[in-house]
Amino acid sequence: MVNEMESKISDAEWEVMRVVWAQDKVTSKEIIDVLQQKKDWKPATTKTFIGRLVKKGILHTEEEGRKFLYSSAVNESDFINSTLDETFEHICSKDVGNAIVNLLSNATLSFKDIDKIEKVIEMKKKEAVEEIPCNCVPGQCRCNNCSSGH
């Protein structure tokens, strides 16, 4: 699983990772070529981001002749899930449901996506509770039931 250090990447590093995940093994030139279609980065800028990702242990490097091939050290789906889990850990547990509602409201979904979501919701109904307890320390949130004295 992805550890906390690995999950902290910049927006620019996300752009690089999306290319690597899509290509499996890729050269820096191939990453540069793809991102030049989207960003106005100089090759050195892209190489800087690649270097940071290698240093963080998110990209593997292997030498093939005179060039380097980059591949992901982390599975894309696991990485995204870890990032979402980490985000939910940073908000009041009473707000997680609202955050999920906002994600769904803002997402473009296929009928297949909606079917999957409906199945998960049906399963979640079986373990639902009347009220989610606040998990914040006093003074860390604004919920009405928080013991922070708000």
Side-chain angles (χ1 to χ4, degrees), residues 13 56-57 93 103 105 133:
E13 291 167 340
K56 290 179 182 184
S93 56
L103 280 172
S105 297

Side-chain angles (χ1 to χ4, degrees), residues 77-111:
S77 180
D78 290 346
F79 192 82
I80 291 168
N81 288 337
S82 174
T83 302
L84 287 172
D85 289 345
E86 185 178 320
T87 298
F88 288 141
E89 288 173 9
H90 292 297
I91 62 176
C92 178
S93 56
K94 293 175 84 71
D95 291 335
V96 170
N98 286 331
I100 293 169
V101 168
N102 287 332
L103 280 172
L104 286 171
S105 297
N106 294 321
T108 301
L109 302 170
S110 69
F111 290 112

Side-chain angles (χ1 to χ4, degrees), residues 23-37:
Q23 308 295 324
D24 290 329
K25 288 189 177 187
V26 63
T27 65
S28 60
K29 182 180 179 346
E30 291 168 324
I31 297 170
I32 290 165
D33 290 347
V34 170
L35 292 179
Q36 279 184 333
Q37 295 174 45

Side-chain angles (χ1 to χ4, degrees), residues 11-13 15-16 32 35-36 39-46 49:
D11 290 345
E13 291 167 340
E15 294 290 344
V16 171
I32 290 165
L35 292 179
Q36 279 184 333
K39 302 286 187 182
D40 192 25
W41 294 342
K42 296 192 180 331
T45 302
T46 302
F49 296 134

Side-chain angles (χ1 to χ4, degrees), residues 108-121:
T108 301
L109 302 170
S110 69
F111 290 112
K112 189 175 182 179
D113 293 331
I114 293 168
D115 285 342
K116 286 189 224 173
I117 292 166
E118 287 174 337
K119 286 178 182 156
V120 169
I121 288 172

